[in-house]
Amino acid sequence: MRYQLKPNMQYGVDNESADPNRESGAIEFDGGPQGIATVASDTFPLSQAQLGMWYAQHVDPEVPINIAQYVDVRGPLDAALLERAMVIGSAEIETGYLRLAEVDGRPYQVVDFSIEDHLRLADFRAHDDPERAAHEWMQAEYSRPMDLLSDRLITAAVLQIEDERYLWYSRVHHIALDGFGAMAYMTRTAELYSALLEGRELPRAKASTLRSIYESEVAYRDSTRFKVDGEYWAERIAGMEEGTSLSGRTAAPASVNGVASAALSEDSAKNLASAVAQQNSSPAAMLIAAFAGYLAQMTDTEDVVLSLPVTARTTALMRHSGGMLSNVVPLRLRVGTDTTVADLLKSVQIAVSGALRHQRYRHEDIRRDSGSGNMQRDLLGPLVNIMLFHNEVTLGAVTGQFHILSTGTVEDLAVNFYQSVAGTRTHIDFETNPNLYTDEQAKAHHARFLTFFDQFLAADPARRVWDLTVTTEAERTLSVSGWNATDRVVGDGTLVSLFDARVGLSPGAVALSFEGESVTYSEFDVRVNRLARHLISVGVGPESLVALAMRRSIDLLVGVYAVVKAGGAYVPVDPDQPADRIGNILDTAAPVCVLST
């Protein structure tokens, strides 16, 4: 039997599939709002990874830290069987039955199999643009604020946009499940759905319980391995003051990230495969090295810090389980002016290999160990997210395409590297914090990096990374031919005569604005003439020099015009230069006087 989806229809959940032999876990609630509770024997604290999410969410409650994704299914879909498969899968990994509570100011968790939930169903076919309407619905759902103590941490829906086309959507808060776990859960649900649809015996579950995952984390933090990992990262971050950023600023994350996306061209994909083979490397290492080179030149630094998301799932059991385990660790790379492409690739391979061996050591601990006063950001750099998993999900005879909507909040910039269309197309996305990058800025960085990536792939291994250019052909043309296209007929006159003419024409117009201060042409003229008379009185005239030791300001422009009006020439001096250099300039120029603030 096939179900025709109707708006807001619900199919009953068979809770017997959720392992009836296990007791229904519950925090002992006192009848008040959910989250006001006393600790029962089946509750346990949050793991370190979950605590990181707990505190991060409380910093900005209006911006949910959600993972969201969907599968584009083109063909028949049995909604009741999909719901049953999701119930079974949720029971196996337990995340779908996770409940949080706060007791005496401390957060706890419990797996509560008494929770009933339903697959949400909606029909968008009546909309003028069903697909767009469905995407707007999904974005609104995963970006709305959440209360961790009262809202469901996970939800799923099937959105119908054509007669036999559905978007199977799921959203989960990062405190309950990480990206790897979300993908594993969706894959397991599809496996169960196929078995139920075909009447086969259900494949054996391989997941661990959430309590076991928590206990494993506690055991790790009490082990010698934890100490060894901590020493490794302390050595890596020694002397590191801050991270690397293309924006150079900080800002709170947004509920919806900006995205600039593109698939590699056929030529770029061939160059990538060729470079990987030639240098005995990998696509991931190529991307990381190229982005490190781009970041070094764009920020003018030789000490580049990137952030590498890792699963922190070091056993097969962990890789089949739910829970929040993922971590972010720093990749610190030297990109000196003498560093070659081959040198950088080798250092990336060494850094990534070490990071993976020590990936369970939490980034919160790394930041704490660094002694950095800024615990929110700046110890790590832009994320380089390598997501080389298959994006196809098999549901019986139908194959759906997997799409990521959100991997959580982005503090600055995330470079997502993934494959699609049965692994035949490689994509590079820039996912940005819109509070730091406008759409135009994000797209410009994205396009510029793709051009740089092509250069990096085609470069001789012995070529220096800094010899590769970060400017595109369009930017070079604009700079050389566009901004420099200043040819025009200029009439007779001097700087002083042209300025005096403008004062006569527009005395009340604003001549200069700087850091909140504005002066009109007449006000500027008064200040210039007053200073010019003073300069003449101290001997400034034709053939004489006046040093201007000022930072950028309105006073600096007053000084320039006053010196010219007095008949002299000005010598710019940067007051922030070393004293010896300033002294050499003054000795050489021998000015009549020095103007300074």
Side-chain angles (χ1 to χ4, degrees):
M1 177 180 180
R2 299 293 182 210
Y3 288 86
Q4 185 178 24
L5 304 185
K6 300 293 185 182
N8 302 317
M9 282 181 60
Q10 292 185 336
Y11 298 94
V13 180
D14 181 3
N15 286 306
E16 290 182 359
S17 62
D19 195 349
N21 294 320
R22 280 191 271 190
E23 292 184 2
S24 174
I27 295 175
E28 296 177 358
F29 292 94
D30 59 7
Q34 185 173 338
I36 308 301
T38 58
V39 180
S41 60
D42 50 3
T43 65
F44 51 101
L46 302 188
S47 68
Q48 289 298 311
Q50 289 175 300
L51 279 173
M53 289 297 164
W54 172 268
Y55 293 126
Q57 186 62 90
H58 280 74
V59 168
D60 190 352
E62 295 301 309
V63 180
I65 309 175
N66 282 329
I67 296 170
Q69 55 203 18
Y70 72 93
V71 178
D72 191 341
V73 182
R74 300 175 188 239
L77 183 69
D78 189 323
L81 281 187
L82 180 61
E83 183 174 59
R84 182 172 175 81
M86 294 187 72
V87 168
I88 298 171
S90 292
E92 290 176 355
I93 70 167
E94 300 185 338
T95 299
Y97 296 95
L98 188 66
R99 186 194 297 271
L100 302 183
E102 193 171 28
V103 182
D104 297 330
R106 294 185 60 190
Y108 288 84
Q109 59 186 323
V110 65
V111 179
D112 183 357
F113 288 106
S114 69
I115 295 175
E116 289 191 16
D117 204 6
H118 301 277
L119 181 65
R120 301 163 69 178
L121 307 171
D123 192 334
F124 287 86
R125 289 175 294 178
H127 289 262
D128 292 337
D129 188 339
E131 186 169 1
R132 179 178 178 179
H135 277 273
E136 290 175 348
W137 182 94
M138 290 187 289
Q139 179 174 299
E141 202 287 327
Y142 72 73
S143 62
R144 68 174 180 82
M146 286 184 61
D147 186 328
L148 296 181
L149 299 178
S150 60
D151 289 335
R152 291 285 287 118
L153 299 178
I154 187 170
T155 192
V158 169
L159 315 179
Q160 187 169 16
I161 58 176
E162 296 177 14
D163 288 346
E164 285 201 339
R165 186 182 174 196
Y166 311 87
L167 305 184
W168 171 27
Y169 166 81
S170 63
R171 182 269 302 158
V172 61
H173 195 279
H174 219 315
I175 201 170
L177 197 64
D178 57 31
F180 189 94
M183 184 63 191
Y185 168 57
M186 185 165 276
T187 301
R188 174 60 175 168
T189 299
E191 181 182 39
L192 292 168
Y193 172 88
S194 297
L196 290 169
L197 186 68
E198 296 163 10
R200 294 185 284 107
E201 183 179 354
L202 299 184
R204 184 175 64 87
K206 301 177 183 178
S208 176
T209 65
L210 293 182
R211 179 184 282 275
S212 295
I213 292 173
Y214 165 76
E215 291 171 348
S216 173
E217 175 68 10
V218 172
Y220 163 70
R221 297 183 71 84
D222 288 337
S223 69
T224 56
R225 180 71 195 182
F226 179 76
K227 181 180 179 182
V228 169
D229 290 347
E231 291 171 349
Y232 172 85
W233 288 116
E235 184 179 344
R236 299 282 85 71
I237 65 174
M240 187 165 66
E241 297 295 330
E242 59 182 13
T244 312
S245 169
L246 287 171
S247 69
R249 300 183 294 116
T250 61
S255 57
V256 179
N257 301 326
V259 178
S261 176
L264 292 185
S265 67
E266 290 187 10
D267 288 342
S268 295
K270 289 177 181 178
N271 290 340
L272 174 59
S274 176
V276 167
Q278 179 187 7
Q279 305 204 46
N280 192 27
S281 186
S282 68
M286 284 288 175
L287 175 83
I288 294 171
F291 187 67
Y294 176 79
L295 202 59
Q297 291 201 47
M298 290 299 297
T299 60
D300 193 26
T301 183
E302 295 187 1
D303 189 12
V304 173
V305 184
L306 302 176
S307 297
L308 181 68
V310 291
T311 67
R313 296 172 183 263
T314 54
T315 66
L317 182 61
M318 284 183 176
R319 288 190 285 273
H320 286 95
S321 301
M324 166 53 192
L325 292 168
S326 67
N327 193 16
V328 178
V329 294
L331 286 183
R332 190 178 184 185
L333 302 166
R334 179 184 177 275
V335 190
T337 54
D338 60 337
T339 301
T340 66
V341 169
D343 293 336
L344 185 52
L345 274 170
K346 183 177 180 180
S347 64
V348 165
Q349 291 165 345
I350 293 172
V352 171
S353 177
L356 294 179
R357 286 198 303 273
H358 304 278
Q359 63 179 298
R360 293 189 70 182
Y361 198 80
R362 299 293 310 166
H363 71 273
E364 296 93 348
D365 295 319
I366 296 174
R367 288 180 171 180
R368 179 205 60 216
D369 297 345
S370 74
S372 171
N374 185 354
M375 297 298 289
Q376 295 301 318
R377 183 180 172 269
D378 284 347
L379 178 62
L380 308 179
L383 288 160
V384 181
N385 200 5
I386 309 299
M387 302 183 292
L388 299 183
F389 50 77
H390 294 296
N391 79 315
E392 293 184 339
V393 177
T394 301
L395 296 160
V398 179
T399 299
Q401 296 294 321
F402 178 79
H403 298 269
I404 296 174
L405 292 169
S406 173
T407 58
T409 55
V410 173
E411 291 183 347
D412 185 286
L413 166 69
V415 181
N416 299 326
F417 187 59
Y418 63 97
Q419 293 178 332
S420 65
V421 192
T424 60
R425 297 295 300 275
T426 299
H427 286 248
I428 297 177
D429 292 355
F430 274 22
E431 193 174 8
T432 56
N433 179 354
N435 294 327
L436 291 177
Y437 301 89
T438 65
D439 286 343
E440 183 179 358
Q441 289 170 334
K443 290 176 181 177
H445 274 302
H446 184 248
R448 192 181 300 113
F449 171 68
L450 291 180
T451 301
F452 183 84
F453 191 40
D454 283 337
Q455 288 185 70
F456 190 89
L457 296 176
D460 186 289
R463 188 174 183 184
R464 293 181 300 182
V465 175
W466 281 75
D467 287 343
L468 304 175
T469 178
V470 295
T471 54
T472 65
E473 187 62 37
E475 288 172 329
R476 284 193 294 273
T477 299
L478 176 63
S479 177
V480 174
S481 303
W483 293 337
N484 224 20
T486 56
D487 290 348
R488 64 187 181 90
V489 178
V490 179
D492 293 335
T494 64
L495 179 66
V496 172
S497 65
L498 293 173
F499 173 71
D500 287 343
R502 175 55 61 184
V503 173
L505 289 173
S506 312
V510 173
L512 287 173
S513 293
F514 182 76
E515 293 187 347
E517 180 186 1
S518 297
V519 294
T520 64
Y521 277 100
S522 61
E523 292 168 341
F524 187 74
D525 188 46
V526 169
R527 292 170 63 173
V528 167
N529 289 334
R530 183 165 56 236
L531 179 56
R533 286 192 294 270
H534 176 72
L535 292 174
I536 292 171
S537 72
V538 298
V540 176
E543 306 299 326
S544 62
L545 300 177
V546 175
L548 298 180
M550 302 181 192
R551 295 180 180 85
R552 182 176 297 183
S553 62
I554 290 178
D555 284 339
L556 175 61
L557 269 296
V558 170
V560 168
Y561 277 79
V563 170
V564 175
K565 273 203 170 188
Y570 62 89
V571 179
V573 176
D574 185 350
D576 295 318
Q577 290 294 314
D580 290 347
R581 186 176 300 174
I582 293 176
N584 184 54
I585 293 173
L586 296 180
D587 289 343
T588 302
V592 173
C593 60
V594 178
L595 289 179
S596 180
T597 55

